[in-house]
C-alpha cells in the first residue's frame, strides 16, 4: 500500500510543477524576449545577493535547527537571522549602484531596481527561511502547501499587474514580490502556531567569542565559495545582457528557465525525502557515509535519465511551455538540462563539506567552475557564431565545477559510487532516440501526445529501477 504522506507530497509537488510550467507559458505570452531578458536580469541580481549574503546563513540555520528547537531558542535565533537579512538588504543598495556604474545593468531603470530589489531580498529570504523550517522539523504538509501558495499568489498578482498595468518586466517582478510578502506573513503565523515558538527580540548571548568563531568558520568560507558558485550558475545573465543584449538573454534565459523548472521539480521531490534524514545522520560518520552513497547511487541514474529525456524531447517541451515567439529556445533548453544535471550532482556532493564543517573545501571547486564559466562565456559572447558556442560553453563551465567538486569531496569521505547503475539510463537511449524520427510539429496536441507516451515510459522506468535498487542495496544501510 502506498504511504498516504508520500501521495500527499507527490500531489503537492505535481501542483507545484503545474504552477511553474503555467508561469512559463504565461510570462512568455505577455512579455517580449527583451522584457523577459530584463526580468531575468533582475532575478539574477537577487540570486547574487541570495547566494553570497543569505545562503550561507541559511545553511548554518539548517544545520542548527534541530539543536535550537530542542533547546527552546529557535524563536530567538529566527529574530536574529531576520535582523541580519535586513542589514544585507540595505547593503545591497550600494552594490547595485556600483554595478550600474560598471555598465552591468544596461536596459533597466536604476531607480526601480534600487527600490524593488532590497525588498525582494529581504522578504524572499524570510519566506525561504520560515517555510523550509517546517519541512526540517517534520511538518512536510505545511511545507508543500505554503510553497505552492507562494508560487500561486505570485503568479496571480503578476498576471493582475501585467494585464491591468502594462506588459513590462517591472509589472511581473512586482507581482512576484507582493505574492512572497503575503505568504510570508501567513507562514510566520503557521510557524508560530505549529511549533509553539516564542519570538524573543533579543541579541543577548550571541556575540560570545566561541559562538562567533563557530559561525564565521562555517559561514565565511561558504560565502566565498558560493560567490564563485554564483559566477558558475548565474553570471551568464549579466554577461549576456552586457555583451549581447536583453533580447538574446530573454531567449537563452527561457531555455535555461525551462530546464531549471524541470530539474528542480524532480530535485525537490527527491531531496524532500532524503535531506531531513541526511541531516539527521550527520552526527555519525559511519551512518552518514553509508546513507550518502546509498542515496547518491539511486538519484544520479534518475537525474541522468531525466537529462536524456529532456535532450531528445526539448522541441516538444518548448512547444508546450512557451509562446511561439520563444520557440527557438529549445536549443538552449538542451544545454540547460545538462548544466542542471551537473549542478544537482555538485550540490549533493557539497553536503559532505557541511557535515564535516569543512566548507573551505568548497572554495576551490566553486572557484574553478566560476572562473571557467565567466571566461568561456565572455570569450564565446565575442565570437561571430555565439549562438552555437555559448550553449556549449555554458555546459563546459558546469562540467568543470562538478569534476573539481568530486575530487575535493573524495578527500573527506569515501564515496562508493557504483557505475553499474548508470546502465539504467543508458538502456533508455534507444527508446528516446525515436524522437529523432518524429516530425517537429507546432501543434501543441501533437507534442502533448508524444510527451505523454515517452514520459510514461520514463516514469515507469524510474519505478522499476527503484524497486530493483532497493531490493539490491537496502541491506547495506541497515
Amino acid at each position: 500500500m502506498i504511504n498516504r504522506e508520500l501521495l500527499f507530497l507527490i500531489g503537492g509537488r505535481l501542483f507545484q510543477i503545474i504552477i511553474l510550467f503555467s508561469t512559463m507559458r504565461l510570462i512568455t505570452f505577455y512579455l517580449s524576449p527583451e522584457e523577459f531578458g530584463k526580468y531575468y536580469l533582475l532575478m539574477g541580481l537577487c540570486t547574487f545577493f541570495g547566494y553570497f549574503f543569505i545562503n550561507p546563513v541559511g545553511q548554518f540555520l539548517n544545520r542548527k535547527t534541530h539543536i535550537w528547537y530542542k533547546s527552546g531558542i529557535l524563536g530567538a535565533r529566527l529574530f536574529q537571522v531576520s535582523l541580519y537579512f535586513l542589514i544585507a538588504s540595505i547593503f545591497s543598495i550600494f552594490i547595485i549602484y556600483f554595478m550600474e556604474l560598471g555598465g552591468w545593468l544596461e536596459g533597466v531603470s536604476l531607480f526601480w531596481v534600487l527600490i524593488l530589489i532590497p525588498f525582494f531580498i529581504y522578504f524572499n529570504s524570510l519566506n525561504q527561511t520560515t517555510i523550509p523550517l517546517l519541512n526540517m522539523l517534520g511538518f512536510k504538509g505545511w511545507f508543500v502547501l505554503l510553497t505552492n501558495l507562494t508560487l500561486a499568489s505570485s503568479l496571480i498578482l503578476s498576471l493582475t499587474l501585467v494585464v491591468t498595468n502594462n506588459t513590462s518586466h517591472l509589472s511581473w517582478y512586482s507581482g512576484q514580490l507582493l505574492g512572497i510578502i503575503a505568504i510570508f506573513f501567513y507562514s510566520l503565523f503557521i510557524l508560530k502556531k505549529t511549533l509553539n515558538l516564542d519570538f524573543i527580540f533579543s541579541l543577548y548571548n550571541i556575540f560570545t567569542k566561541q559562538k562567533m568563531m563557530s559561525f564565521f568558520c562555517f559561514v565565511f568560507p561558504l560565502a566565498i565559495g558560493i560567490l564563485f558558485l554564483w559566477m558558475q550558475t548565474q553570471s551568464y545573465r549579466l554577461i549576456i545582457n552586457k555583451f549581447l543584449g536583453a533580447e538574446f538573454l530573454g531567449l537563452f534565459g527561457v531555455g535555461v528557465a525551462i530546464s531549471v523548472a524541470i530539474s528542480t521539480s524532480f530535485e525537490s521531490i527527491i531531496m524532500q525525502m532524503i535531506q531531513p534524514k541526511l541531516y539527521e545522520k550527520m552526527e555519525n560518520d559511519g551512518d552518514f557515509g553509508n546513507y550518502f552513497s546509498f542515496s547518491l547511487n539511486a538519484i544520479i541514474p534518475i537525474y541522468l535519465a531525466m537529462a536524456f529525456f529532456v535532450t531528445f524531447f526539448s522541441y516538444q517541451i518548448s512547444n508546450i511551455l512557451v509562446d511561439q515567439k520563444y520557440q527557438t529556445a529549445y536549443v538552449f533548453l538542451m544545454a540547460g538540462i545538462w548544466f542542471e544535471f551537473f549542478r544537482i550532482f555538485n550540490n549533493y556532493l557539497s553536503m559532505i563539506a557541511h557535515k564535516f564543517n569543512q566548507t573551505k573545501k568548497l572554495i576551490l571547486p566553486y572557484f574553478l567552475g566560476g572562473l571557467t564559466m565567466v571566461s568561456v562565456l565572455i570569450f564565446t559572447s565575442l565570437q561571430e557564431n555565439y549562438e552555437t558556442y555559448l550553449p556549449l560553453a555554458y555546459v563546459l563551465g558546469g562540467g568543470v565545477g562538478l569534476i573539481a567538486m568530486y575530487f575535493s569531496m573524495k578527500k573527506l569521505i569515501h564515496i562508493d559510487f557504483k557505475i553499474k547503475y548508470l546502465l539504467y539510463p543508458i538502456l533508455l537511449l534507444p527508446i528516446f532516440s525515436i524522437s529523432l524520427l518524429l516530425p517537429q510539429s507546432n501543434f501543441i496536441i501533437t507534442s502533448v501526445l508524444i510527451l505523454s507516451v515517452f514520459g510514461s515510459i520514463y516514469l515507469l522506468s524510474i519505478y522499476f529501477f527503484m524497486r530493483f535498487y532497493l531490493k539490491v542495496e537496502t541491506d547495506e544501510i541497515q
Side-chain angles (χ1 to χ4, degrees):
M1 183 177 178
I2 300 178
N3 186 280
R4 290 178 61 186
E5 181 184 25
L6 181 60
L7 278 176
F8 179 79
L9 295 179
I10 293 175
R13 288 304 183 183
L14 288 175
F15 181 75
Q16 181 179 344
I17 292 169
I18 292 172
I19 297 230
L20 286 172
F21 291 162
S22 298
T23 299
M24 286 303 306
R25 186 74 192 187
L26 290 167
I27 192 173
T28 56
F29 176 78
Y30 284 104
L31 299 189
S32 66
E34 183 178 3
E35 287 297 317
F36 182 85
K38 293 177 182 179
Y39 167 75
Y40 212 57
L41 178 63
L42 294 185
M43 295 305 295
L45 291 174
C46 292
T47 60
F48 169 77
F49 295 108
Y51 271 49
F52 185 64
F53 292 107
I54 307 301
N55 185 279
V57 176
Q59 294 196 38
F60 183 80
L61 176 63
N62 286 343
R63 185 170 174 79
K64 297 291 186 179
T65 293
H66 288 281
I67 297 173
W68 289 343
Y69 181 62
K70 291 176 183 178
S71 302
I73 61 172
L74 181 59
R77 292 292 183 259
L78 288 177
F79 164 72
Q80 293 152 9
V81 167
S82 70
L83 186 61
Y84 168 79
F85 290 162
L86 179 61
I87 295 171
S89 301
I90 295 172
F91 187 67
S92 70
I93 295 174
F94 301 98
I95 298 180
I96 292 169
Y97 181 73
F98 284 111
M99 283 184 169
E100 167 66 19
L101 292 180
W104 292 99
L105 303 182
E106 295 290 336
V108 295
S109 168
L110 179 62
F111 174 78
W112 285 111
V113 168
L114 290 175
I115 292 176
L116 294 175
I117 286 186
F119 277 100
F120 192 98
I121 294 168
Y122 181 64
F123 284 104
N124 188 57
S125 300
L126 292 174
N127 184 275
Q128 294 302 309
T129 298
T130 54
I131 295 177
L133 270 179
L134 292 165
N135 183 50
M136 290 290 295
L137 295 173
F139 298 94
K140 295 181 175 62
W142 277 117
F143 170 74
V144 173
L145 178 61
L146 292 171
T147 299
N148 285 332
L149 282 176
T150 301
L151 293 172
S153 61
S154 295
L155 174 59
I156 292 170
L157 289 169
S158 288
L159 281 174
T160 302
L161 290 179
V162 166
V163 172
T164 60
N165 188 20
N166 60 73
T167 55
S168 73
H169 61 288
L170 289 176
S171 294
W172 194 276
Y173 184 87
S174 299
Q176 296 293 298
L177 173 59
L178 292 174
I180 288 170
I181 292 174
I183 302 305
F184 159 67
F185 285 109
Y186 181 57
S187 67
L188 191 64
F189 168 76
I190 296 299
L191 188 71
K192 180 175 176 58
K193 180 180 178 181
T194 304
L195 301 180
N196 194 28
L197 293 181
D198 292 321
F199 293 105
I200 302 172
F201 305 106
S202 171
L203 299 177
Y204 175 73
N205 201 30
I206 66 169
F207 294 111
T208 65
K209 182 177 180 180
Q210 181 180 2
K211 288 180 179 179
M212 293 302 293
M213 285 296 294
S214 173
F215 176 77
F216 281 109
C217 286
F218 181 91
V219 169
F220 185 72
L222 188 58
I224 299 299
I226 287 182
L227 176 62
F228 295 130
L229 177 62
W230 178 87
M231 291 170 58
Q232 180 182 344
T233 60
Q234 303 293 329
S235 63
Y236 72 90
R237 304 191 194 209
L238 273 74
I239 293 171
I240 293 177
N241 184 70
K242 181 178 178 64
F243 292 100
L244 301 175
E247 184 173 356
F248 184 77
L249 174 60
L251 293 172
F252 187 85
V254 161
V256 173
I258 297 172
S259 68
V260 170
I262 294 171
S263 61
T264 53
S265 298
F266 276 86
E267 185 183 16
S268 61
I269 293 174
I270 293 173
M271 292 308 296
Q272 188 172 331
M273 294 183 285
I274 292 176
Q275 194 172 44
K277 192 170 185 179
L278 197 63
Y279 275 108
E280 181 183 329
K281 290 182 177 294
M282 281 190 174
E283 301 303 320
N284 185 291
D285 291 355
D287 288 348
F288 177 83
N290 289 336
Y291 186 74
F292 183 89
S293 294
F294 171 81
S295 55
L296 181 71
N297 284 299
I299 64 177
I300 293 305
I302 293 175
Y303 288 140
L304 183 57
M306 174 198 69
F308 286 149
F309 177 82
V310 174
T311 300
F312 281 101
F313 297 97
S314 60
Y315 183 87
Q316 289 80 10
I317 293 172
S318 297
N319 192 43
I320 294 173
L321 295 183
V322 299
D323 192 73
Q324 280 297 311
K325 56 182 174 285
Y326 291 87
Q327 186 58 55
T328 55
Y330 79 93
V331 177
F332 304 131
L333 169 57
M334 295 182 192
I337 200 62
W338 284 102
F339 177 87
E340 283 299 298
F341 170 72
F342 294 145
R343 179 195 62 79
I344 293 171
F345 199 169
N346 199 329
N347 284 355
Y348 197 65
L349 289 172
S350 70
M351 295 184 72
I352 297 173
H354 301 161
K355 184 265 180 288
F356 291 101
N357 274 334
Q358 291 289 321
T359 50
K360 61 184 179 182
K361 295 288 186 181
L362 299 175
I363 295 178
L364 181 59
Y366 288 157
F367 171 74
L368 292 175
L371 182 64
T372 302
M373 180 64 78
V374 171
S375 301
V376 296
L377 286 182
I378 292 177
F379 176 77
T380 53
S381 295
L382 298 174
Q383 304 306 306
E384 184 176 353
N385 296 325
Y386 61 84
E387 298 98 333
T388 301
Y389 297 136
L390 196 141
L392 297 176
Y394 184 63
V395 176
L396 175 63
V400 170
L402 173 60
I403 293 170
M405 180 66 73
Y406 179 76
F407 284 104
S408 181
M409 294 302 101
K410 279 190 68 175
K411 297 176 182 178
L412 296 178
I413 194 174
H414 172 65
I415 302 174
D416 186 19
F417 183 61
K418 299 178 180 179
I419 299 179
K420 64 181 181 180
Y421 290 115
L422 297 183
L423 181 64
Y424 151 62
I426 292 174
L427 289 175
L428 291 174
L429 283 176
I431 300 174
F432 292 165
S433 63
I434 296 174
S435 67
L436 300 176
L437 304 176
L438 301 175
Q440 292 186 342
S441 172
N442 289 331
F443 291 105
I444 292 180
I445 188 63
T446 303
S447 297
V448 170
L449 289 174
I450 292 172
L451 291 179
S452 297
V453 172
F454 289 95
S456 298
I457 294 173
Y458 170 50
L459 293 176
L460 281 173
S461 73
I462 294 177
Y463 171 75
F464 288 113
F465 168 72
M466 286 306 301
R467 282 192 61 180
F468 171 78
Y469 181 79
L470 291 173
K471 182 177 180 181
V472 173
E473 296 288 331
T474 299
D475 292 341
E476 295 189 11
I477 59 167
Q478 294 299 321

